[in-house]
Amino acid sequence: MPELPEVRTVANELNKILPGLRIINGENFMPKLIWRNKENDFFDKVLDQKIISVQNYGKYLIFNLENFKMISHLRMEGKWSVSSKDKYVYNEKHLRIEFELSNNEWLRYYDSRKFGTLEVWDNKSYLKESGISNLGPEPLNNNPSFEYLKKAAIKKNVKVKPFLLDQKVVCGIGNIYVNEILFAAKVAPDRITKTLGDKEIKNIIKFSNLILTKAIELKGSSIHSYKSGENVEGQFQNELKVHLRENKPCFECKKPIIKTQIGGRGTYFCTECQK
DNA sequence: ACTTTAACCTGAACGC
DNA sequence: TGCGTTCAGGTTAAAG
């Protein structure tokens, strides 16, 4: 479901509620949720830990506990919420793990498609062993540098769309925002990265920053099923220029937006504006 | 070694 | 209404 702006929004919402609370109990209803950790000691590590803060890195959600990092990836449909014991913010059928908190509230994770993952690592090993260990920079605050992205682009023999979706290159961009970024940068999604000009690479960086920043301000895009915390809807879906606009006129040139498949993902772009 | 595809799952939307 | 098909804010094991 969520890309960087949506995960950031979830982190912000949870960070209003969770810091200072302690995890006093928990139950996992989906064994495959617990990821990478070889030992079956997830609850041994997490129980009795105080939650210090919640943040994101790319599409990963990080619960900073006293002695551990609990790292969640929502994949397509994962959702976190905090509610009273008897209130289910989302469909109870999709509840996958829950934690009882020290204030008598319940932290719950729902995931209809069961793609999501949850890991727990100590504060040192997570940098080397968790899902966030191989991620590239977040495309925010003038990252990545031109030199970094140019070097990566030359090295690879891939189309620019899957290149930007590769979380090892940059992290946090997903299918909505890559479509929007490439439209803003006027680059066709099937361009091979090594053919990109310096100006095109600079524009990709510039618009990655601008679009993700704007989407964070608007609390993400609510299409399909995404909602943050308490069923809060984002507003960036109203800003989309190409995504989900098949056959509708391009806002720049009025030609119909094309939908194709690139790298197995639905791809929307303007053949006139993007070269 | 690198790139592309299939698989992981479920539910909603669509066509007949 | 019912049934089959297609598609979905993602990642990764397997195949090419």
Side-chain angles (χ1 to χ4, degrees):
Chain A
M1 129 186 126
E3 309 179 33
L4 187 151
E6 291 76 26
V7 181
R8 173 70 61 88
T9 301
V10 173
N12 288 342
E13 299 286 326
L14 292 175
N15 215 30
K16 293 175 187 168
I17 304 169
L18 293 178
L21 300 179
R22 197 173 289 278
I23 297 170
I24 61 173
N25 216 333
E27 188 170 2
N28 178 20
F29 306 106
M30 179 184 143
K32 283 177 68 178
L33 178 66
I34 309 300
W35 200 244
R36 286 180 228 271
N37 303 83
K38 294 186 180 104
E39 304 82 7
N40 187 26
D41 60 356
F42 177 82
F43 283 112
D44 291 342
K45 288 177 172 165
V46 161
L47 290 191
D48 210 34
Q49 287 282 305
K50 186 191 284 185
I51 301 169
I52 308 301
S53 64
V54 185
Q55 67 184 98
N56 80 295
Y57 190 75
K59 300 174 191 174
Y60 285 83
L61 191 65
I62 305 169
F63 295 82
N64 294 305
L65 308 179
E66 284 171 295
N67 303 314
F68 299 98
K69 306 285 187 194
M70 186 170 80
I71 301 175
S72 163
H73 198 301
L74 282 47
R75 296 287 177 96
M76 297 291 264
E77 293 288 340
K79 295 169 180 65
W80 286 96
S81 69
V82 180
S83 64
S84 60
K85 187 177 195 299
D86 297 326
K87 183 188 172 191
Y88 294 89
V89 175
Y90 302 103
N91 190 338
E92 184 180 352
K93 195 171 82 173
H94 300 144
L95 177 64
R96 303 308 179 195
I97 197 167
E98 65 182 9
F99 303 94
E100 184 180 0
L101 303 173
S102 51
N103 68 343
N104 208 28
E105 294 276 291
W106 292 68
L107 172 63
R108 292 185 164 116
Y109 176 77
Y110 304 78
D111 190 341
S112 65
R113 290 176 75 178
K114 300 197 279 195
F115 281 172
T117 60
L118 195 58
E119 315 171 46
V120 61
W121 298 98
D122 66 56
N123 285 326
K124 286 177 185 168
S125 62
Y126 84 102
L127 282 171
K128 292 275 182 188
E129 302 194 59
S130 78
I132 69 171
S133 61
N134 287 316
L135 297 180
E138 288 184 333
L140 292 170
N141 307 314
N142 293 315
N143 283 313
S145 71
F146 168 75
E147 291 74 19
Y148 170 87
L149 201 64
K150 167 106 176 169
K151 192 175 172 184
I154 290 172
K155 193 165 60 179
K156 295 207 169 207
N157 193 30
V158 291
K159 294 170 180 171
V160 64
K161 179 171 179 180
F163 174 75
L164 292 174
L165 287 174
D166 182 346
Q167 305 294 299
K168 293 189 284 298
V169 175
V170 287
C171 77
I173 296 176
N175 202 40
I176 294 177
Y177 296 106
V178 73
N179 284 334
E180 296 298 313
I181 289 163
L182 289 172
F183 175 76
K186 301 188 185 298
V187 174
D190 59 353
R191 284 281 297 285
I192 303 296
T193 54
K194 64 174 69 165
T195 72
L196 294 172
D198 290 358
K199 182 67 179 171
E200 291 175 317
I201 291 175
K202 286 175 183 170
N203 275 337
I204 286 170
I205 293 168
K206 173 185 163 188
F207 288 110
S208 296
N209 277 255
L210 276 175
I211 288 172
L212 292 184
T213 300
K214 174 82 170 177
I216 290 168
E217 285 171 17
L218 295 181
K219 301 186 192 296
S221 303
S222 291
I223 59 178
H224 305 304
S225 63
Y226 164 76
K227 287 173 182 167
S228 71
E230 298 291 319
N231 273 327
V232 176
E233 294 205 12
Q235 293 302 321
F236 194 82
Q237 67 275 16
N238 302 318
E239 308 289 322
L240 298 175
K241 302 287 195 293
V242 289
H243 191 78
L244 298 182
R245 297 197 65 248
E246 183 180 17
N247 291 329
K248 291 181 177 167
C250 172
F251 290 124
E252 295 291 326
C253 74
K254 309 303 179 199
K255 283 200 171 180
I257 298 299
I258 300 300
K259 184 184 184 190
T260 60
Q261 291 278 120
I262 294 179
R265 311 299 303 279
T267 300
Y268 300 83
F269 71 109
C270 176
T271 55
E272 181 69 22
C273 296
Q274 294 173 254
K275 299 294 185 187

